[in-house]
Amino acid sequence: MGLTGNTVLALAALLALLLFTVTVWLWPGLARGGPRAVLGRIGLLLATQAALFAAVGLAANNYFLFYGSWADLLGQEQEMGVVVDHSAGGKDVRVVGRQKIEGVPGGGRPAVGGQVQKVVISGETSRIDSPAYVYLPPEYFQPAYAKRTFPAAVVLTGYPGTAENLLKGLKYPRTAFEQARSGRMQPMVLVMMRPTVAPPRDTECVDVPGGPRTEMFFAEDLPRAVSETYRVGTAPRNWGLIGNSTGGYCALKIALHHPGRYAAGAGLSAYYRAAEDITTGDLFHGDRRLRDRADLLWSLDHLPQGTSSFLVTTSAKGEGNLAATRAFVRKVKAPARVSSITLDSGGHNFNTWNREIPPALVWMSGRLSAA
């Protein structure tokens, strides 16, 4: 039974309820004095509290996905990453696994419920290898669509989130399936991954001098590799980006600076200036030009704006990016376009983003084309 499975959570909750019931039932008999009665009361209280703590902890982990497995929880995942060199002409996308989509009718049959493929994307120019999940909608496997290309959206987590958050916590494949089935959006391919392509470092999707060329990976290598592997178009109108928090900043940044690759960028609870802290290290090596360029509000004021469309989200209460989001909206000028979602209240968390993802995907679909 996996750590994030509903079975484990249900058993933990059942055990906590059972121990609570036993404690209430036996308490009158243990109320008398004597060492055995005292030890019995202590034992039942500790066991009940431990079971309750375990159930709450498992529920929180299922929601936020702090740990992906028992080995991860117990600190047994200590194996270092392996650098793999690839010769020119090697395959840029390697499929390493396939899985059905949870909560989707007929999820076991790709032509009915779609499919999620676990892949490794290799950047030909950046020399970055990064794991990802690719959602292929049911239409991708249906004969009627055999010669059709699909639009694609790169979906990015926050930092230091895992790509699994996008499947389980934020439910992107399931939401895309439901929105397409209801006719609100067209079928799209989703490329889901972390913006952290050089973990544990947070590179803020910039090309670090002498370091990881993260912007190159997302702006050039990724769309090229995916288009060569799947039936996805190669024009800017075929590609968009969407992300939350750090992923939202990256989505807006890449779409803003690379309108020749991406037609749309959506930032959910995004910030607008590259973070610089202990997780990022020295991103710019004293280069003021690079630091300014990583400030999206500065870029809107000082650099040419292309034809990309932007979606930004915030909350009137609960988010810290309200003022900056309003500034971003004011600074976008034609031919670029901007839209926004402002919730009455909502914090920087999964619940807020799950309220924004369905309309954001519909918005993205309206800005992209399959042809």
Side-chain angles (χ1 to χ4, degrees):
M1 293 183 290
L3 176 64
T4 59
N6 290 329
T7 302
V8 174
L9 176 58
L11 289 175
L14 182 61
L15 178 61
L17 179 61
L18 178 62
L19 285 171
F20 176 78
T21 304
V22 170
T23 300
V24 173
W25 182 262
L26 296 180
W27 197 261
L30 297 173
R32 63 180 183 273
R36 294 181 62 183
V38 172
L39 290 175
R41 294 198 298 269
I42 293 174
L44 282 174
L45 288 174
L46 289 177
T48 302
Q49 291 187 35
L52 180 61
F53 178 79
V56 172
L58 285 167
N61 188 67
N62 279 11
Y63 186 77
F64 293 105
L65 292 175
F66 298 117
Y67 300 97
S69 66
W70 293 107
D72 189 17
L73 173 65
L74 298 174
Q76 297 173 348
E77 292 285 5
Q78 300 295 331
E79 184 178 353
M80 299 297 291
V82 178
V83 177
V84 180
D85 295 322
H86 300 274
S87 60
K91 191 169 182 60
D92 292 330
V93 177
R94 289 172 285 134
V95 179
V96 297
R98 294 175 173 84
Q99 62 191 66
K100 66 179 183 180
I101 302 167
E102 296 182 5
V104 169
R109 292 177 291 167
V112 177
Q115 186 182 79
V116 171
Q117 297 186 351
K118 187 174 183 179
V119 304
V120 176
I121 301 175
S122 299
E124 181 179 351
T125 304
S126 64
R127 298 299 178 186
I128 288 174
D129 287 357
S130 183
Y133 290 94
V134 176
Y135 163 70
L136 301 173
E139 291 81 0
Y140 192 90
F141 302 95
Q142 297 171 4
Y145 292 82
K147 295 183 179 180
R148 176 180 171 179
T149 59
F150 291 81
V154 179
V155 185
L156 301 173
T157 68
Y159 177 87
T162 65
E164 286 79 7
N165 288 348
L166 301 170
L167 278 69
K168 298 180 179 180
L170 297 178
K171 303 179 179 65
Y172 268 96
R174 177 177 174 179
T175 303
F177 172 88
E178 292 173 346
Q179 296 298 313
R181 183 177 61 175
S182 67
R184 295 186 180 92
M185 61 175 277
Q186 62 180 316
M188 293 197 305
V189 172
L190 304 180
V191 184
M192 300 166 286
M193 59 193 303
R194 304 167 68 184
T196 310
V197 295
R201 186 178 188 183
D202 175 13
T203 57
E204 293 290 297
C205 293
V206 305
D207 286 344
V208 181
R213 303 177 67 186
T214 312
E215 184 171 347
M216 173 66 71
F217 176 81
F218 284 113
E220 300 293 339
D221 289 341
L222 186 151
R224 182 190 305 117
V226 171
S227 295
E228 291 175 352
T229 305
Y230 299 98
R231 299 197 311 276
V232 173
T234 59
R237 63 180 179 275
N238 307 133
W239 282 89
L241 307 104
I242 182 172
N244 59 275
S245 192
T246 299
Y249 163 76
C250 287
L252 297 173
K253 177 182 184 294
I254 300 298
L256 175 61
H257 292 316
H258 300 274
R261 278 293 187 181
Y262 291 94
L268 313 183
S269 301
Y271 49 87
Y272 301 93
R273 182 177 183 177
E276 293 182 80
D277 53 33
I278 191 172
T279 66
T280 66
D282 188 356
L283 292 177
F284 307 110
H285 292 251
D287 190 324
R288 179 64 179 271
R289 180 186 62 85
L290 294 178
R291 179 176 282 105
D292 286 343
R293 185 175 177 274
D295 183 334
L296 305 189
L297 301 183
W298 183 95
S299 294
L300 288 172
D301 284 338
H302 295 89
L303 300 179
Q305 297 188 29
T307 58
S308 295
S309 296
F310 304 100
L311 172 67
V312 289
T313 77
T314 187
S315 300
K317 295 180 180 179
E319 286 277 23
N321 72 337
L322 179 60
T325 297
R326 288 173 173 171
F328 184 92
V329 171
R330 289 195 303 269
K331 291 176 182 290
V332 173
K333 299 293 187 294
R337 295 183 294 171
V338 63
S339 305
S340 66
I341 296 173
T342 303
L343 302 178
D344 290 338
S345 65
H348 201 77
N349 55 50
F350 279 25
N351 182 60
T352 295
W353 301 326
N354 275 317
R355 295 160 63 194
E356 297 168 343
I357 288 171
L361 283 176
V362 172
W363 175 89
M364 181 70 68
S365 170
R367 300 305 186 273
L368 303 184
S369 170

